[in-house]
Amino acid sequence: MYHVAMTKAQQLSKIFYEFSAWHEMNSVAFKPRAYQIVSESVAALGDEVEAVWRKGGVKGLKELPGVGQATADAIDEFLRTGHIKEYEQLKKKFPVDIWGLSQIEGIGPKHIMELYQHLKVKTVDDLKRVLKSEKIKDLPRWGLKSQEKLSKQLLMMEASSGRQLLGYVLPSANKIVDELSKINGVTRCTYAGSLRRKQETVGDIDLIATSKHPEKIMDAFVKLPQVESILVKGKTKTSVRLKIGIDADLRVVPDEVYGATLQYFTGDKKHNVMLRELALSKGYTLNEYGLFKVRKSSVASDATSPLTRRLKNSPLAKGGRGDLVACKTEEEIYKKLGLDTPPPELRVGGDEIDAARKHKLPKLLPYGSVKGDLQTQTTWSDGANSIEEMAKAAKAHGLSYMAATDHTKSLAFIHGLDEKRLAQQGKEIDGLNKKLKGFTLLKSTECDIHKDGSLDLSDTALAKLDWVGISIHSNFKLSRAEQTKRLIKAMSNKYVDCVFHPTCRLIGKREPIELDMDEIFAAAKKYNVAMEVNCFPERSDLRDIHVRAAIKAGVKLVINTDAHAT
DNA sequence: GCCGTTTTCGGCCCGACTGTTTTCAGTCG
């Protein structure tokens, strides 16, 4: 397993998470959520936090959703000095690895507080030692079962790999949906959550099924061959650990409420909280069973009466929460709230609800829009298939053109092409273009960018190509100024059409190189150079934030697979 | 601590499951 040092954004996210948990431990109202939101915002932005801060300072930070004066000051202090005074004080008062312990499923702030107060547990290792001494079961409100469950969780955590890449989880999820759909009694089945939102990485697989006999579905679900162990099993909600190392949650509901459940479990959490707050302000309440008109008389008694609480637990019982207004489709729920329906990919709890209200949601490119592929590798360098095989596979996927963009000579260890072999490859492509009907192969390259910004192929060689992509494969650690200058110099070459995987990040393995993206996009516009959205799962480069910025700057984008095999 | 086409002050999302309890706190998503 690769170990990567924490980035500044990750450190900040962790700090705010610990502040949040600390307030939770002390039963402080509302602050936990405020800090939690900042923790998540910062994590989602990644190194963009620093870019925002560099450009706009504290004022710029305060523009970020959920970030106010106090948290903006804290971020500013951290980025200026490398630490936050208030956080250091917290650590002195409570020297516990809150974040580390929180990674254990079932351990939250209150438990962390108890474990420290009664057993002096500060770290995950401390917890392992204490577990061996079997003292945990004697804590108030703990018992043998909680102790055993905790031991099991710790073992499972060591075996788990955390979040996984979308492109690699999706096929497994599709297979499970197929198998669940075949179970007798299942009306509809689909995946929701981060998978449906098509996030770069997913932490678990959220599944929804509709049926009149939920218990039967649960019994069948836990017996699927993909299941390694059962974490939670109830009538309508079950969680399992899959053999591929991540969890899958299944919710079974009546078919009539499919839309509400789909909406609820697509999330993300922030989007849903914003939506439920909006619902409240309009006199509704929203849950996974539908949108309900709140009855004024029932609100006051709700919190206290056990009977009302039980009614709430069977929300379909008429009169539990109010009168049902919408539940069949997502669209009718959003419409009742005065909103257009945002595509799942946009439901991130940012500005999409505002845009939905103003009918200004951006139109996403529909799946199936891509007509060609302008980055692929073949056996000429490090690909697994010949140009002809790749071309035929591309055609079979409905594409009408493809560029064979093999690496260049600097990457000698994977047989990068020099000018002579590039010319030979050109002849092969001429031959194939005569042979292939309704499909065009482009002569091209993924030309390496040297440390000084010069290119790996001569201008005379580049001039003969249909499509020139350039990319960085070495010297990832240059300073922001040097790296930006290097890339812009390369982009200024008049034969260059596109920058491939501009930030060079590998999700979970390598941080992006340091670039001033504003300057890069300005140069892209000036030299009419496109930027790539590389869809290799661990790259996804440019990423979401940069794509938005590039579009805003008027820069052309190209979506490629960077496929190394058919 | 944050936020505002009902508010710059007074609000702040919702329900399932578990374990240890006899009515609920804690955790999770």
Side-chain angles (χ1 to χ4, degrees):
Chain A
M1 179 74 195
Y2 241 99
H3 186 78
V4 185
M6 269 190 152
T7 63
K8 284 178 189 168
Q10 285 165 337
Q11 291 174 52
L12 272 169
S13 175
K14 180 185 150 184
I15 287 169
F16 286 118
Y17 181 90
E18 296 206 332
F19 274 132
S20 167
W22 170 251
H23 288 304
E24 186 98 45
M25 286 175 207
N26 294 287
S27 302
V28 177
F30 308 115
K31 287 190 189 184
R33 189 181 144 196
Y35 279 111
Q36 179 82 31
I37 287 171
V38 177
S39 169
E40 284 164 11
S41 300
V42 167
L45 280 165
D47 61 337
E48 278 302 294
V49 174
E50 238 186 308
V52 168
W53 171 73
R54 205 174 290 113
K55 218 160 113 187
V58 171
K59 211 175 149 209
L61 291 169
K62 279 174 73 178
E63 305 275 308
L64 297 172
V67 178
Q69 188 64 53
T71 47
D73 283 340
I75 296 171
D76 176 66
E77 185 185 351
F78 181 80
L79 292 176
R80 272 188 297 110
T81 68
H83 62 264
I84 297 172
K85 253 195 201 123
E86 200 187 339
Y87 180 68
E88 317 264 290
Q89 284 162 2
L90 162 63
K91 280 289 163 184
K92 257 184 215 155
K93 218 172 353 180
F94 193 73
V96 175
D97 180 13
I98 302 172
W99 191 81
L101 287 163
S102 299
Q103 301 308 302
I104 304 164
E105 192 102 354
I107 296 292
K110 305 273 182 178
H111 286 157
I112 291 173
M113 180 67 106
E114 285 175 346
L115 287 167
Y116 177 64
Q117 285 179 338
H118 292 105
L119 299 168
K120 295 276 160 254
V121 169
K122 293 181 193 169
T123 65
V124 177
D125 284 338
D126 289 347
L127 183 59
K128 283 182 194 162
R129 270 198 296 278
V130 173
L131 267 170
K132 273 183 198 147
S133 68
E134 306 225 338
K135 280 179 189 157
I136 288 184
K137 64 178 190 315
D138 303 325
L139 293 179
R141 293 191 62 85
W142 291 67
L144 192 60
K145 269 199 166 173
S146 342
Q147 182 176 284
E148 282 170 352
K149 208 174 158 184
L150 192 51
S151 298
K152 220 174 116 189
Q153 277 302 340
L154 272 168
L155 282 174
M156 283 214 315
M157 202 174 78
E158 281 169 0
S160 145
S161 46
R163 295 186 75 84
Q164 297 193 10
L165 292 163
L166 174 69
Y168 298 138
V169 176
L170 208 46
S172 306
N174 280 326
K175 188 134 190 281
I176 292 174
V177 167
D178 278 351
E179 292 185 30
L180 282 175
S181 303
K182 281 185 212 148
I183 294 172
N184 204 6
V186 170
T187 315
R188 278 189 274 186
C189 178
T190 187
Y191 58 75
S194 49
L195 267 175
R196 183 163 180 246
R197 298 198 309 275
K198 301 292 192 291
Q199 288 202 180
E200 288 166 359
T201 60
V202 295
D204 59 13
I205 299 177
D206 290 307
L207 301 158
I208 302 169
T210 65
S211 174
K212 287 182 179 138
H213 310 289
E215 284 103 331
K216 273 170 62 184
I217 312 304
M218 292 311 182
D219 290 341
F221 176 55
V222 299
K223 283 182 195 138
L224 287 180
Q226 291 91 335
V227 172
E228 188 184 88
S229 61
I230 302 168
L231 306 174
V232 175
K233 186 163 177 268
K235 277 183 200 157
T236 66
K237 180 184 166 181
T238 291
S239 296
V240 298
R241 166 62 52 90
L242 298 175
K243 286 172 186 162
I244 55 171
I246 62 173
D247 299 345
D249 299 334
L250 173 64
R251 275 298 277 266
V252 182
V253 294
D255 198 57
E256 308 87 80
V257 303
Y258 180 76
T261 307
L262 184 60
Q263 194 289 314
Y264 186 93
F265 285 102
T266 296
D268 76 355
K269 199 163 68 179
K270 245 196 299 175
H271 175 87
N272 280 356
V273 169
M274 287 168 78
L275 210 60
R276 291 198 282 272
E277 283 173 347
L278 177 66
L280 268 187
S281 75
K282 291 179 181 284
Y284 298 112
T285 179
L286 178 64
N287 60 32
E288 60 264 58
Y289 301 102
L291 185 68
F292 300 86
K293 187 90 195 165
V294 178
R295 286 214 212 93
K296 282 194 178 119
S297 57
S298 74
V299 175
S301 63
D302 224 30
T304 44
S305 156
L307 178 69
T308 327
R309 200 182 148 84
R310 220 163 300 140
L311 271 173
K312 252 171 68 182
N313 287 340
S314 63
L316 291 178
K318 292 271 185 239
R321 288 290 276 172
D323 299 318
L324 182 63
V325 176
C327 67
K328 285 196 179 69
T329 65
E330 290 189 320
E331 286 73 17
E332 65 172 357
I333 292 169
Y334 281 102
K335 200 173 170 196
K336 287 283 179 195
L337 293 171
L339 304 175
D340 294 342
T341 302
E345 291 85 344
L346 292 182
R347 298 182 201 170
V348 296
D351 55 5
E352 76 278 7
I353 290 182
D354 198 40
R357 188 162 40 78
K358 294 175 180 156
H359 309 294
K360 281 187 176 164
L361 283 169
K363 290 200 174 57
L364 301 190
L365 273 182
Y367 292 103
S369 303
V370 175
K371 299 299 176 204
D373 198 343
L374 291 173
Q375 194 191 167
T376 63
Q377 315 298 328
T378 74
T379 45
W380 281 83
S381 61
D382 64 343
N385 294 93
S386 69
I387 300 180
E388 183 170 7
E389 287 165 340
M390 292 295 278
K392 283 181 174 163
K395 198 182 168 194
H397 277 85
L399 303 187
S400 58
Y401 61 92
M402 184 193 104
T405 54
D406 282 292
H407 289 290
T408 54
K409 60 193 177 192
S410 277
L411 305 186
F413 63 100
I414 50 166
H415 313 297
L417 277 63
D418 58 13
E419 285 79 355
K420 198 175 150 197
R421 284 184 69 220
L422 188 67
Q424 289 168 0
Q425 189 189 46
K427 280 181 195 156
E428 181 179 328
I429 289 173
D430 283 337
L432 285 167
N433 272 332
K434 278 179 199 149
K435 215 167 108 184
L436 294 161
K437 296 275 178 270
F439 192 88
T440 306
L441 271 169
L442 301 178
K443 291 177 202 167
S444 51
T445 181
E446 176 176 4
C447 185
D448 190 55
I449 300 171
H450 298 153
K451 188 179 178 186
D452 64 358
S454 61
L455 297 178
D456 205 21
L457 292 173
S458 68
D459 278 5
T460 38
L462 294 177
K464 290 176 190 151
L465 299 175
D466 301 312
W467 172 253
V468 174
I470 56 171
S471 57
I472 286 173
H473 297 101
S474 60
N475 300 107
F476 297 118
K477 294 284 175 201
L478 297 185
S479 73
R480 176 175 305 261
E482 283 176 296
Q483 199 70 274
T484 304
K485 197 175 148 203
R486 172 193 189 185
L487 185 54
I488 290 177
K489 184 182 170 193
M491 290 162 74
S492 72
N493 181 301
K494 64 178 172 181
Y495 298 110
V496 170
D497 296 303
C498 184
V499 178
F500 289 163
H501 51 76
T503 75
C504 298
R505 70 157 179 179
L506 295 176
I507 296 170
K509 286 186 186 165
R510 185 169 71 212
E511 286 304 311
I513 57 174
E514 299 239 13
L515 288 172
D516 184 322
M517 294 311 276
D518 290 338
E519 277 190 45
I520 296 296
F521 292 149
K525 175 104 175 124
K526 180 177 167 192
Y527 297 119
N528 194 27
V529 170
M531 302 301 261
E532 182 186 53
V533 178
N534 184 304
C535 298
F536 214 76
E538 37 273 87
R539 289 197 185 272
S540 293
D541 180 11
L542 300 174
R543 57 165 296 195
D544 51 1
I545 293 167
H546 293 144
V547 168
R548 282 196 185 201
I551 291 171
K552 212 172 154 191
V555 172
K556 286 182 196 162
L557 296 167
V558 176
I559 301 176
N560 295 327
T561 64
D562 197 2
H564 283 57
T566 56

